[in-house]
Amino acid sequence: MAKKHPYLKQKYIEAQQQWANGIQSPKQRWLARFDAVFGDHSFLRYFWTNLYQLDTDVWRSNQPSPRHIKKLAQKGIKTIVNLRGPSRWGSYVLEKEACAEFGIELID
């Protein structure tokens, strides 16, 4: 049985709280990206978007990165429905920030 490390987990959660109110500094941006890539495995979503059209105006995909959100905005996407819900992961705060920047409504 694997040994649990509650102290390390608590420290990791505390580190994620740095961007709870949005990204305020370059250091927070770097940490949020690092957390997204290695904590939330967003490096997998860099190459694989799972984007699929369900109907004329409805698409589905995995969680988009800020780069993908920019492309979605260019395609005319107006709303993203986040079925994962809000989270402390860096990928979420980066998604939220990109939606605001590119004029896409984010619904959790």
Side-chain angles (χ1 to χ4, degrees):
M1 179 179 249
K3 185 176 179 181
K4 295 183 180 183
H5 298 284
Y7 174 78
L8 293 177
K9 182 176 180 180
Q10 182 60 37
K11 287 297 180 188
Y12 186 59
I13 291 170
E14 287 173 14
Q16 289 175 316
Q17 293 303 315
Q18 291 183 56
W19 51 77
N21 296 319
I23 296 172
Q24 307 295 325
S25 70
K27 179 184 175 184
Q28 286 180 341
R29 179 168 311 285
W30 187 90
L31 289 170
R33 285 183 179 152
F34 186 86
D35 181 61
V37 170
F38 295 105
D40 196 23
H41 305 100
S42 69
F43 66 90
L44 297 171
R45 296 187 295 267
Y46 184 79
F47 301 104
W48 180 65
T49 60
N50 195 22
L51 184 63
Y52 180 77
Q53 189 169 8
L54 299 173
D55 200 356
T56 307
D57 296 325
V58 180
W59 295 75
R60 66 134 172 98
S61 77
N62 56 357
Q63 183 175 10
S65 68
R67 178 177 64 97
H68 291 128
I69 291 171
K70 180 179 180 179
K71 289 180 181 180
L72 293 171
Q74 292 169 346
K75 288 184 177 188
I77 300 294
K78 304 280 186 224
T79 305
I80 292 177
V81 178
N82 175 10
L83 298 177
R84 292 176 71 184
S87 73
R88 66 178 189 265
W89 293 108
S91 54
Y92 175 73
V93 73
L94 293 169
E95 175 185 17
K96 188 174 176 180
E97 181 183 72
C99 283
E101 180 180 347
F102 297 111
I104 294 177
E105 180 183 8
L106 178 62
I107 299 172
D108 292 314

